Amino acid sequence: MLDQALRGAVRGEVRFDAGSRALYATDASNYRQVPIAVLTPRDAEDVVAALAVCREHGVPVLPRGAGTSLAGQCCNAAVVFDFSRYMNRIVEIDPERRIARVEPGVILDVLRAAAERHHLTFGPDPATHSRCTLGGMIGNNSCGVHSIMAGKTVDNVESLDVITGDGVRMHVGPTSDSDVRRRIAGGGREGEIYAGLSSIRDRFADLVRQRFPDIPRRVSGFNLDDLLPEKGFHVARALVGSEGTCVTVLEATLRLVESPQNRVLLVVGYPDVYVAADHVPEVVASGVIGLEGFDDVLVSNMRKKRLNPRELDLLPRGSGWLLAEFGGATPHEAEEKARALLARLPAQASGPEGRLFLSPASQREMWRVRESALGATSFVPGERHAWEGWEDAAVRPDMLGQYLRDFRALQTRYGYHGSLYGHFGHGCVHTRTDFELTTSDGIAKYRAFVNEAADLVLRYGGSLSGEHGDGQSRGELLPKMFGPELMGAFREFKRLWDPEGRMNPGKLVDAYRLDENLRLGAGYRSPSLETHFHYPQDEGDFAEAALRCVGVGECRRLQGGTMCPSYRVTLEEKHSTRGRAHLLFEMTRGEVVKGGWKDEHVKDALDLCLACKGCKGDCPVSVDVATYKAEFLSHYYEGRLRPRHAYAFGLMFRWARLAAMAPRLANVLTQTPGLRTIARAVAGVARQREIPKFAGQPFTAWFARRAPHGARRTSHEVRRTSHVARRTSHVILFADTWNNYFLPDTARAAVAVLEAAGFTVEVPRSHMCCGRPLYDYGMLDTAKTVLADIMRKLRHERPDVPIVVLEPSCAAVFRDELLNLFPDDEEARALSRRVVLLSEFLAQHAPEFRPPLDADAMVHGHCHHTALMRMDAEKQVLEEMGVRLRVLDSGCCGMAGAFGFEAGHYDVSMKVGERVLLPAVRAAAPATYVVADGFSCREQIRQGTGRRALHLADLIALAIPKERRPD
């Protein structure tokens, strides 16, 4: 049996289960093919052994990197080799020779960061640079923004260590005639391969020179031009872009280039994208190291999706834009180049407007606009879904403007829409088009359009692919571009390396039709599922929500942002946002993942989701796994008992209220040696965790006993004297479970801050909790009841008064879950609008209140805070107080509500915390305040470092004179 043979041969994981196969059934393309199995090799020897087993059993194989391919080359009915988990070492960086040796699973940004220590870089940098692997880049011949400076991947590969499907290991690179003769004379498979390559070169050299487009971005087809004598018979480069159809790369030696240490960005606005494209040659001639372009459709889509609003406001006037990057040995040199171009702009007849961005931070902001393009073109409110299918053709840069006009006319004739953006400096254009891929007529129309689009680009002497490769999307079209003789040469090339045709079959040559193996396909109908959430952004359809993931793998990046903490510490596809979304989509199809809402593969994949909402904030198409997890668990546990920790944590608002009746007794049970061991066991708490202590007096009890004078009235008393209240600024403080029963000092500090700012604070006497933990365990019926109860209780609590919420996760419930559970309820919408965090309230309603504080502070943003509300108000308030601020890019703390307390999650929780947050806190000076608004974040910091973190309210209260603080 294949499964037993593979497991016996390799040390890496071998997975034949339905869940794993479903995870790898698609990439970032329109295609779907369920693999035979998934293998994560630990080293080259694992690869050799696994290939031998696959060869013995006659099964095809597919080498895979990050799976972000857009043409379908990373899905196949094969054994998938995923190199990203283990084979990700940088073997060597030699700054003198300017080379790097890497394993295929190394992420591009990891290599670039290591090379930057020597002021070097790997030039090609596609938009997926934060997660794409070098092996995948070699497979696709990736390019990116700076190919204008350093060329395509093919131009930066020095040599490769490869293995063929039939087990021949070779080191390939540039080869002299004498070396070719020596290898042929050596005989065997290696001699056969070199003899065949020499024959292809000799017979097809003239045709290659004639038919291969002489443009910067010819990515389509095999690189037979690199076998030409003038290119040094470079066998490694001939294999670049072969998309796993010929060999498996075990190690690569790559060229590094000088990285300009000083850069500036000039953004130029034109009347439209066509005029912008017309001016590309002039801008290129000014010495740019990167030149990108995009149109007004892209900007409009971003505004509709509320993506990068601040950055969009910085764009110069226009309806088409060029982003021109300049580099120099000094800041002055880079700036002078940009200013020289800027000075020439007013002389243009079209009168373009330019804006210069000098600081690295401002440049990063503008690059985000361009790098967000794929997400911005997908799932745009009010627009039809847009798909890949014809999205990276390339022409000569001096023909780009006219080509774009003709291409837009073609789109219009077919009734299609799509934005235009891409690597304009090299004539490469990206677009996602609103194809209809679920009906026979729609697919036939798509096929006809793509064929016409291919004819159009070839009339311009261009390439069907200028970056993303051919795969299945364009493999069928290659005869149009290269003709029958060169297609014959391509087949010979593949057969030399892969005589049995088992390396990623059906891609690039002898390809599947471009309209088969579609992820959706004719007849696809979204299954009708009854759900608790209403998914208003997805037409009320859970399957549509799961389909939202377009596969670009932003969730697989290892640095920056919040998404996806569990993937970052496991490197497992099933623990990424993409993996979970794909698995849920497969669940709705029911073909491979057949258990529906009760499926154990789905439950296992969701188990390590921390419900941090990082995906909703960071994912370019706002995949929301926290919500999907809550929905799934609600159905999974129908008719079943949940684990005991679900009742312990999910219903904490009830237990805390009960404990408040006898807090000393509750603390005896949870804090006394022996008894606390029993308490942890009963509640399912990890033995390494401390159970937080209950406060001796809840905040609400303290507030109710305060003297009713001045700005210190309870909500009951304020209602009794409403004629006075109309002349007073009021605010309602929401007494959440955590700050009410565990940390009442923080709530008291918030009262001090709000009253010092001149507001009358009201606290509803009725017990209220947003029910946030209920979502983590799928207790959605209870959650909905809790929210309905809150709306009922707040109905008469001054509907025009803001409600300040101290706990970010509570604010997230009112901003997010409330509207998803009650999308058509005006009362719910009104409540959602009223809820603000303390920082937001002070920024909006008390701009003059900033008690000075001469202090250093390190701020960690709660994941719900950063994902949904962002940290701008927090930073504004503290900076205006004079606090010297360092906001950590720490992502999720790892505690994530109850997640880190649970016995089965402790290890992952700590690994997440140890990535950034906990080491940073330990390294902070003793006098530096650590600020974290989330209760779980503060607990993770306390239990992981021994330091006490403050809420924003605590820190501001320190700056208030004692005589102005509440009693």
Side-chain angles (χ1 to χ4, degrees), residues 863-882:
C863 47
H864 291 181
H865 191 163
T866 57
L868 299 184
M869 285 79 76
R870 307 304 184 188
M871 296 291 292
D872 294 344
E874 199 98 348
K875 291 187 285 188
Q876 176 189 336
V877 169
L878 289 174
E879 287 172 351
E880 290 175 357
M881 289 174 60

Side-chain angles (χ1 to χ4, degrees), residues 875-918:
K875 291 187 285 188
Q876 176 189 336
V877 169
L878 289 174
E879 287 172 351
E880 290 175 357
M881 289 174 60
V883 177
R884 293 175 293 278
L885 210 55
R886 178 189 171 196
V887 180
L888 296 175
D889 189 6
S890 44
C892 183
C893 70
M895 190 69 87
F899 180 91
F901 283 102
E902 295 171 19
H905 294 157
Y906 175 79
D907 289 341
V908 168
S909 168
M910 292 307 296
K911 287 178 181 176
V912 171
E914 292 292 353
R915 289 187 61 259
V916 177
L917 175 61
L918 299 182

Side-chain angles (χ1 to χ4, degrees), residues 645-713:
H645 64 256
Y647 300 103
F649 294 115
L651 301 175
M652 180 55 68
F653 65 101
R654 293 178 181 169
W655 309 134
R657 191 178 184 187
L658 185 64
M661 298 177 183
R664 290 185 181 179
L665 175 60
N667 286 331
V668 166
L669 295 175
T670 60
Q671 309 299 320
T672 305
L675 292 177
R676 68 185 175 203
T677 301
I678 297 172
R680 279 195 291 251
V682 169
V685 175
R687 59 180 177 80
Q688 301 94 329
R689 289 295 187 191
E690 299 175 27
I691 298 176
K693 291 181 180 180
F694 291 95
Q697 181 188 49
F699 162 72
T700 49
W702 168 83
F703 191 87
R705 290 185 174 91
R706 300 176 76 213
H709 60 80
R712 298 179 179 181
R713 286 189 283 272

Side-chain angles (χ1 to χ4, degrees), residues 401-411 456 459-460:
Q402 191 54 50
Y403 166 73
L404 290 182
R405 292 177 177 91
D406 288 347
F407 179 74
R408 180 69 86 197
L410 178 64
Q411 279 188 318
L456 173 63
R459 285 201 300 272
Y460 277 89

